[in-house]
Short mmCIF file of all heavy atoms in Angstrom, two decimals:
data_model
loop_
_atom_site.label_atom_id
_atom_site.label_comp_id
_atom_site.label_asym_id
_atom_site.label_seq_id
_atom_site.Cartn_x
_atom_site.Cartn_y
_atom_site.Cartn_z
N PHE S 146 11.14 47.71 -0.61
CA PHE S 146 10.35 46.53 -0.97
C PHE S 146 9.21 46.98 -1.87
O PHE S 146 8.42 47.86 -1.51
CB PHE S 146 9.78 45.85 0.28
CG PHE S 146 10.71 44.86 0.91
CD1 PHE S 146 11.45 45.20 2.02
CD2 PHE S 146 10.84 43.58 0.39
CE1 PHE S 146 12.31 44.30 2.61
CE2 PHE S 146 11.71 42.66 0.97
CZ PHE S 146 12.45 43.02 2.08
N LEU S 147 9.10 46.35 -3.02
CA LEU S 147 8.03 46.65 -3.96
C LEU S 147 7.23 45.38 -4.21
O LEU S 147 7.76 44.39 -4.71
CB LEU S 147 8.60 47.20 -5.27
CG LEU S 147 7.61 47.79 -6.27
CD1 LEU S 147 8.21 49.00 -6.98
CD2 LEU S 147 7.19 46.76 -7.30
N ILE S 148 5.95 45.40 -3.82
CA ILE S 148 5.06 44.24 -3.95
C ILE S 148 4.02 44.55 -5.02
O ILE S 148 3.24 45.49 -4.88
CB ILE S 148 4.36 43.92 -2.61
CG1 ILE S 148 5.36 43.94 -1.45
CG2 ILE S 148 3.62 42.60 -2.70
CD1 ILE S 148 6.48 42.92 -1.56
N LYS S 149 3.99 43.77 -6.09
CA LYS S 149 3.04 43.99 -7.17
C LYS S 149 2.14 42.77 -7.35
O LYS S 149 2.55 41.64 -7.10
CB LYS S 149 3.79 44.27 -8.48
CG LYS S 149 4.61 45.55 -8.49
CD LYS S 149 5.21 45.85 -9.85
CE LYS S 149 6.23 44.83 -10.26
NZ LYS S 149 6.91 45.18 -11.53
N ASN S 150 0.91 43.04 -7.78
CA ASN S 150 -0.04 41.99 -8.15
C ASN S 150 -0.23 40.98 -7.02
O ASN S 150 0.04 39.78 -7.16
CB ASN S 150 0.40 41.27 -9.42
CG ASN S 150 0.60 42.23 -10.57
OD1 ASN S 150 -0.15 43.20 -10.72
ND2 ASN S 150 1.62 41.98 -11.38
N LEU S 151 -0.69 41.45 -5.91
CA LEU S 151 -0.90 40.59 -4.75
C LEU S 151 -1.95 39.52 -5.07
O LEU S 151 -2.97 39.80 -5.69
CB LEU S 151 -1.35 41.44 -3.55
CG LEU S 151 -1.31 40.78 -2.17
CD1 LEU S 151 0.12 40.44 -1.78
CD2 LEU S 151 -1.93 41.70 -1.14
N PHE S 152 -1.67 38.28 -4.64
CA PHE S 152 -2.54 37.12 -4.87
C PHE S 152 -2.70 36.82 -6.37
O PHE S 152 -3.76 36.36 -6.80
CB PHE S 152 -3.92 37.32 -4.24
CG PHE S 152 -3.89 37.52 -2.76
CD1 PHE S 152 -4.38 38.69 -2.19
CD2 PHE S 152 -3.38 36.56 -1.90
CE1 PHE S 152 -4.37 38.89 -0.83
CE2 PHE S 152 -3.36 36.74 -0.54
CZ PHE S 152 -3.84 37.92 0.01
N PHE S 153 -1.66 37.08 -7.16
CA PHE S 153 -1.79 36.84 -8.60
C PHE S 153 -1.95 35.35 -8.90
O PHE S 153 -2.56 34.97 -9.90
CB PHE S 153 -0.56 37.40 -9.33
CG PHE S 153 0.66 36.53 -9.25
CD1 PHE S 153 1.01 35.68 -10.29
CD2 PHE S 153 1.47 36.53 -8.12
CE1 PHE S 153 2.13 34.87 -10.22
CE2 PHE S 153 2.60 35.73 -8.04
CZ PHE S 153 2.93 34.90 -9.10
N ASN S 154 -1.39 34.48 -8.06
CA ASN S 154 -1.49 33.04 -8.30
C ASN S 154 -2.51 32.36 -7.40
O ASN S 154 -2.59 31.14 -7.35
CB ASN S 154 -0.12 32.38 -8.12
CG ASN S 154 0.52 32.75 -6.77
OD1 ASN S 154 -0.04 33.53 -6.01
ND2 ASN S 154 1.68 32.18 -6.49
N ILE S 155 -3.27 33.15 -6.67
CA ILE S 155 -4.38 32.61 -5.86
C ILE S 155 -5.62 33.45 -6.18
O ILE S 155 -6.02 34.34 -5.41
CB ILE S 155 -4.08 32.67 -4.34
CG1 ILE S 155 -2.70 32.09 -4.04
CG2 ILE S 155 -5.14 31.90 -3.55
CD1 ILE S 155 -2.35 32.13 -2.57
N PRO S 156 -6.25 33.21 -7.32
CA PRO S 156 -7.39 34.05 -7.72
C PRO S 156 -8.56 33.98 -6.75
O PRO S 156 -9.31 34.95 -6.60
CB PRO S 156 -7.77 33.50 -9.10
CG PRO S 156 -7.17 32.13 -9.15
CD PRO S 156 -5.94 32.18 -8.31
N ALA S 157 -8.74 32.84 -6.07
CA ALA S 157 -9.85 32.74 -5.12
C ALA S 157 -9.68 33.75 -3.99
O ALA S 157 -10.65 34.41 -3.56
CB ALA S 157 -9.92 31.31 -4.56
N ARG S 158 -8.44 33.87 -3.48
CA ARG S 158 -8.20 34.84 -2.40
C ARG S 158 -8.36 36.27 -2.90
O ARG S 158 -8.87 37.13 -2.19
CB ARG S 158 -6.79 34.62 -1.83
CG ARG S 158 -6.37 35.64 -0.78
CD ARG S 158 -7.29 35.59 0.45
NE ARG S 158 -7.20 34.33 1.16
CZ ARG S 158 -6.29 34.10 2.12
NH1 ARG S 158 -5.43 35.03 2.47
NH2 ARG S 158 -6.26 32.94 2.73
N ARG S 159 -7.94 36.51 -4.12
CA ARG S 159 -8.07 37.86 -4.68
C ARG S 159 -9.54 38.25 -4.86
O ARG S 159 -9.91 39.41 -4.68
CB ARG S 159 -7.32 37.95 -6.01
CG ARG S 159 -7.21 39.37 -6.56
CD ARG S 159 -6.37 39.41 -7.82
NE ARG S 159 -6.26 40.78 -8.33
CZ ARG S 159 -5.32 41.63 -7.96
NH1 ARG S 159 -4.41 41.27 -7.07
NH2 ARG S 159 -5.29 42.85 -8.46
N ASN S 160 -10.37 37.28 -5.21
CA ASN S 160 -11.79 37.57 -5.39
C ASN S 160 -12.48 37.92 -4.08
O ASN S 160 -13.53 38.57 -4.07
CB ASN S 160 -12.49 36.38 -6.04
CG ASN S 160 -12.05 36.16 -7.47
OD1 ASN S 160 -11.60 37.09 -8.15
ND2 ASN S 160 -12.17 34.93 -7.95
N PHE S 161 -11.90 37.48 -2.96
CA PHE S 161 -12.50 37.76 -1.67
C PHE S 161 -12.14 39.15 -1.15
O PHE S 161 -12.65 39.57 -0.11
CB PHE S 161 -12.09 36.71 -0.65
CG PHE S 161 -12.97 35.50 -0.66
CD1 PHE S 161 -12.59 34.34 -1.32
CD2 PHE S 161 -14.20 35.52 -0.02
CE1 PHE S 161 -13.40 33.23 -1.34
CE2 PHE S 161 -15.02 34.41 -0.04
CZ PHE S 161 -14.62 33.25 -0.69
N LEU S 162 -11.24 39.85 -1.82
CA LEU S 162 -10.90 41.21 -1.40
C LEU S 162 -12.10 42.14 -1.60
O LEU S 162 -12.87 41.99 -2.55
CB LEU S 162 -9.70 41.73 -2.18
CG LEU S 162 -8.36 41.02 -1.93
CD1 LEU S 162 -7.28 41.63 -2.80
CD2 LEU S 162 -7.97 41.07 -0.47
N LYS S 163 -12.22 43.11 -0.71
CA LYS S 163 -13.32 44.06 -0.79
C LYS S 163 -12.99 45.16 -1.79
O LYS S 163 -11.98 45.11 -2.50
CB LYS S 163 -13.60 44.65 0.60
CG LYS S 163 -13.90 43.61 1.66
CD LYS S 163 -15.18 42.84 1.37
CE LYS S 163 -15.50 41.86 2.47
NZ LYS S 163 -16.73 41.08 2.21
N SER S 164 -13.84 46.17 -1.81
CA SER S 164 -13.62 47.29 -2.72
C SER S 164 -12.39 48.08 -2.30
O SER S 164 -11.85 47.93 -1.19
CB SER S 164 -14.85 48.21 -2.72
OG SER S 164 -15.05 48.77 -1.43
N ASP S 165 -11.94 48.95 -3.21
CA ASP S 165 -10.75 49.75 -2.92
C ASP S 165 -10.95 50.63 -1.70
O ASP S 165 -10.01 50.88 -0.93
CB ASP S 165 -10.39 50.62 -4.14
CG ASP S 165 -9.82 49.79 -5.28
OD1 ASP S 165 -9.63 48.57 -5.08
OD2 ASP S 165 -9.59 50.36 -6.36
N VAL S 166 -12.17 51.12 -1.51
CA VAL S 166 -12.43 51.99 -0.36
C VAL S 166 -12.23 51.22 0.95
O VAL S 166 -11.59 51.70 1.89
CB VAL S 166 -13.86 52.56 -0.43
CG1 VAL S 166 -14.17 53.41 0.80
CG2 VAL S 166 -14.04 53.37 -1.70
N VAL S 167 -12.77 50.01 1.01
CA VAL S 167 -12.65 49.21 2.23
C VAL S 167 -11.21 48.80 2.47
O VAL S 167 -10.69 48.92 3.60
CB VAL S 167 -13.56 47.97 2.15
CG1 VAL S 167 -13.39 47.09 3.39
CG2 VAL S 167 -15.02 48.40 2.02
N GLU S 168 -10.54 48.31 1.43
CA GLU S 168 -9.15 47.88 1.60
C GLU S 168 -8.24 49.04 1.97
O GLU S 168 -7.31 48.89 2.78
CB GLU S 168 -8.65 47.20 0.32
CG GLU S 168 -9.38 45.92 -0.04
CD GLU S 168 -9.23 44.85 1.03
OE1 GLU S 168 -8.26 44.90 1.81
OE2 GLU S 168 -10.10 43.96 1.10
N MET S 169 -8.51 50.21 1.43
CA MET S 169 -7.69 51.37 1.78
C MET S 169 -7.92 51.78 3.22
O MET S 169 -6.99 52.24 3.90
CB MET S 169 -8.00 52.54 0.83
CG MET S 169 -7.01 53.69 0.97
SD MET S 169 -5.33 53.16 0.60
CE MET S 169 -4.38 54.50 1.33
N ARG S 170 -9.12 51.60 3.71
CA ARG S 170 -9.39 51.90 5.11
C ARG S 170 -8.59 50.98 6.01
O ARG S 170 -8.06 51.41 7.04
CB ARG S 170 -10.88 51.76 5.40
CG ARG S 170 -11.71 52.92 4.90
CD ARG S 170 -13.11 52.86 5.49
NE ARG S 170 -13.03 52.70 6.93
CZ ARG S 170 -12.77 53.70 7.77
NH1 ARG S 170 -12.56 54.90 7.30
NH2 ARG S 170 -12.73 53.49 9.07
N HIS S 171 -8.49 49.72 5.66
CA HIS S 171 -7.69 48.79 6.46
C HIS S 171 -6.20 49.17 6.41
O HIS S 171 -5.49 49.04 7.41
CB HIS S 171 -7.89 47.37 5.95
CG HIS S 171 -9.21 46.76 6.33
ND1 HIS S 171 -9.49 46.33 7.61
CD2 HIS S 171 -10.34 46.53 5.61
CE1 HIS S 171 -10.72 45.85 7.66
NE2 HIS S 171 -11.26 45.97 6.46
N ILE S 172 -5.73 49.61 5.26
CA ILE S 172 -4.34 50.04 5.16
C ILE S 172 -4.09 51.26 6.05
O ILE S 172 -3.08 51.34 6.77
CB ILE S 172 -3.98 50.35 3.69
CG1 ILE S 172 -3.94 49.05 2.88
CG2 ILE S 172 -2.65 51.09 3.60
CD1 ILE S 172 -3.66 49.26 1.41
N ILE S 173 -5.01 52.21 6.01
CA ILE S 173 -4.86 53.41 6.86
C ILE S 173 -4.89 53.03 8.33
O ILE S 173 -4.13 53.59 9.15
CB ILE S 173 -5.95 54.44 6.52
CG1 ILE S 173 -5.72 55.02 5.12
CG2 ILE S 173 -5.98 55.56 7.56
CD1 ILE S 173 -6.78 55.99 4.68
N ASP S 174 -5.74 52.08 8.71
CA ASP S 174 -5.78 51.63 10.10
C ASP S 174 -4.43 51.06 10.54
O ASP S 174 -3.91 51.40 11.61
CB ASP S 174 -6.88 50.58 10.28
CG ASP S 174 -8.27 51.19 10.22
OD1 ASP S 174 -8.37 52.42 10.36
OD2 ASP S 174 -9.24 50.44 10.01
N GLU S 175 -3.86 50.18 9.72
CA GLU S 175 -2.55 49.61 10.06
C GLU S 175 -1.46 50.68 10.07
O GLU S 175 -0.57 50.66 10.93
CB GLU S 175 -2.19 48.50 9.07
CG GLU S 175 -3.08 47.26 9.14
CD GLU S 175 -2.89 46.50 10.45
OE1 GLU S 175 -1.93 46.78 11.20
OE2 GLU S 175 -3.71 45.60 10.72
N PHE S 176 -1.54 51.59 9.13
CA PHE S 176 -0.56 52.67 9.06
C PHE S 176 -0.63 53.53 10.32
O PHE S 176 0.41 53.88 10.91
CB PHE S 176 -0.82 53.51 7.81
CG PHE S 176 0.12 54.67 7.63
CD1 PHE S 176 1.39 54.47 7.12
CD2 PHE S 176 -0.27 55.96 7.95
CE1 PHE S 176 2.26 55.53 6.95
CE2 PHE S 176 0.58 57.03 7.78
CZ PHE S 176 1.86 56.82 7.28
N GLN S 177 -1.83 53.88 10.76
CA GLN S 177 -1.98 54.71 11.95
C GLN S 177 -1.49 54.00 13.20
O GLN S 177 -0.90 54.62 14.10
CB GLN S 177 -3.45 55.12 12.12
CG GLN S 177 -3.93 56.12 11.07
CD GLN S 177 -5.38 56.50 11.26
OE1 GLN S 177 -6.10 55.90 12.06
NE2 GLN S 177 -5.84 57.50 10.53
N ARG S 178 -1.72 52.70 13.30
CA ARG S 178 -1.26 51.96 14.47
C ARG S 178 0.26 51.97 14.57
O ARG S 178 0.81 52.02 15.67
CB ARG S 178 -1.78 50.51 14.39
CG ARG S 178 -3.28 50.39 14.55
CD ARG S 178 -3.76 49.00 14.19
NE ARG S 178 -5.21 48.89 14.28
CZ ARG S 178 -5.90 47.80 13.95
NH1 ARG S 178 -5.26 46.72 13.48
NH2 ARG S 178 -7.22 47.78 14.07
N VAL S 179 0.92 51.93 13.43
CA VAL S 179 2.38 51.94 13.44
C VAL S 179 2.91 53.34 13.73
O VAL S 179 3.81 53.52 14.57
CB VAL S 179 2.94 51.41 12.11
CG1 VAL S 179 4.45 51.57 12.05
CG2 VAL S 179 2.55 49.94 11.92
N VAL S 180 2.37 54.35 13.08
CA VAL S 180 2.93 55.71 13.21
C VAL S 180 2.64 56.28 14.59
O VAL S 180 3.42 57.10 15.11
CB VAL S 180 2.38 56.63 12.11
CG1 VAL S 180 2.73 56.09 10.74
CG2 VAL S 180 0.88 56.84 12.24
N LEU S 181 1.53 55.91 15.22
CA LEU S 181 1.24 56.40 16.56
C LEU S 181 2.21 55.84 17.59
O LEU S 181 2.50 56.49 18.60
CB LEU S 181 -0.20 56.05 16.96
CG LEU S 181 -1.30 56.89 16.33
CD1 LEU S 181 -2.67 56.30 16.65
CD2 LEU S 181 -1.23 58.34 16.79
N ALA S 182 2.72 54.65 17.34
CA ALA S 182 3.66 54.05 18.28
C ALA S 182 5.07 54.58 18.12
O ALA S 182 5.90 54.42 19.02
CB ALA S 182 3.66 52.53 18.11
N HIS S 183 5.35 55.24 16.98
CA HIS S 183 6.72 55.71 16.71
C HIS S 183 6.69 57.15 16.19
O HIS S 183 6.93 57.40 15.00
CB HIS S 183 7.40 54.79 15.70
CG HIS S 183 7.50 53.37 16.14
ND1 HIS S 183 8.51 52.91 16.95
CD2 HIS S 183 6.69 52.31 15.91
CE1 HIS S 183 8.32 51.62 17.19
NE2 HIS S 183 7.23 51.23 16.58
N PRO S 184 6.40 58.12 17.06
CA PRO S 184 6.35 59.51 16.60
C PRO S 184 7.72 60.08 16.24
O PRO S 184 7.81 61.13 15.61
CB PRO S 184 5.75 60.24 17.80
CG PRO S 184 6.11 59.41 18.98
CD PRO S 184 6.08 57.99 18.49
N ASN S 185 8.80 59.40 16.62
CA ASN S 185 10.15 59.89 16.33
C ASN S 185 10.60 59.56 14.90
O ASN S 185 11.70 59.93 14.50
CB ASN S 185 11.16 59.29 17.32
CG ASN S 185 11.16 57.76 17.29
OD1 ASN S 185 10.11 57.15 17.12
ND2 ASN S 185 12.32 57.16 17.44
N ILE S 186 9.76 58.89 14.12
CA ILE S 186 10.08 58.52 12.75
C ILE S 186 9.22 59.34 11.79
O ILE S 186 8.03 59.55 12.02
CB ILE S 186 9.86 57.01 12.51
CG1 ILE S 186 10.73 56.19 13.47
CG2 ILE S 186 10.15 56.63 11.06
CD1 ILE S 186 10.52 54.69 13.35
N TYR S 187 9.82 59.78 10.70
CA TYR S 187 9.12 60.54 9.66
C TYR S 187 8.39 59.54 8.75
O TYR S 187 9.01 58.70 8.13
CB TYR S 187 10.12 61.35 8.85
CG TYR S 187 9.51 62.45 8.00
CD1 TYR S 187 9.91 63.77 8.12
CD2 TYR S 187 8.54 62.16 7.03
CE1 TYR S 187 9.35 64.77 7.34
CE2 TYR S 187 7.97 63.14 6.26
CZ TYR S 187 8.39 64.45 6.41
OH TYR S 187 7.83 65.44 5.64
N PHE S 188 7.05 59.65 8.67
CA PHE S 188 6.24 58.75 7.85
C PHE S 188 5.54 59.53 6.75
O PHE S 188 5.08 60.66 6.95
CB PHE S 188 5.19 58.02 8.70
CG PHE S 188 5.73 56.92 9.55
CD1 PHE S 188 6.06 57.15 10.87
CD2 PHE S 188 5.92 55.65 9.03
CE1 PHE S 188 6.56 56.13 11.68
CE2 PHE S 188 6.43 54.63 9.81
CZ PHE S 188 6.74 54.87 11.14
N THR S 189 5.41 58.89 5.59
CA THR S 189 4.67 59.46 4.46
C THR S 189 3.83 58.36 3.83
O THR S 189 4.32 57.23 3.65
CB THR S 189 5.61 60.06 3.41
OG1 THR S 189 6.52 60.96 4.04
CG2 THR S 189 4.83 60.80 2.34
N LEU S 190 2.58 58.67 3.51
CA LEU S 190 1.69 57.73 2.83
C LEU S 190 1.18 58.38 1.56
O LEU S 190 0.61 59.47 1.59
CB LEU S 190 0.52 57.34 3.73
CG LEU S 190 -0.60 56.50 3.08
CD1 LEU S 190 -0.06 55.21 2.51
CD2 LEU S 190 -1.71 56.21 4.09
N ILE S 191 1.37 57.69 0.43
CA ILE S 191 0.92 58.18 -0.88
C ILE S 191 0.03 57.12 -1.50
O ILE S 191 0.42 55.95 -1.60
CB ILE S 191 2.12 58.48 -1.80
CG1 ILE S 191 3.00 59.57 -1.19
CG2 ILE S 191 1.65 58.89 -3.19
CD1 ILE S 191 4.27 59.84 -1.96
N HIS S 192 -1.17 57.53 -1.92
CA HIS S 192 -2.11 56.61 -2.55
C HIS S 192 -2.52 57.14 -3.92
O HIS S 192 -3.02 58.27 -4.03
CB HIS S 192 -3.36 56.44 -1.67
CG HIS S 192 -4.36 55.48 -2.24
ND1 HIS S 192 -5.72 55.74 -2.27
CD2 HIS S 192 -4.20 54.27 -2.83
CE1 HIS S 192 -6.35 54.73 -2.83
NE2 HIS S 192 -5.45 53.82 -3.18
#
Side-chain angles (χ1 to χ4, degrees):
F146 273 100
L147 190 144
I148 314 299
K149 296 186 294 185
N150 304 323
L151 194 64
F152 300 120
F153 78 98
N154 52 358
I155 311 179
R158 175 62 65 87
R159 189 176 181 89
N160 292 335
F161 274 99
L162 294 179
K163 303 296 183 181
S164 63
D165 288 356
V166 177
V167 177
E168 296 299 337
M169 191 60 197
R170 284 192 50 79
H171 285 285
I172 290 177
I173 291 177
D174 288 343
E175 293 292 349
F176 180 79
Q177 290 180 350
R178 292 169 182 176
V179 173
V180 301
L181 284 172
H183 301 276
N185 58 324
I186 301 177
Y187 195 124
F188 285 95
T189 308
L190 172 58
I191 299 174
H192 181 225

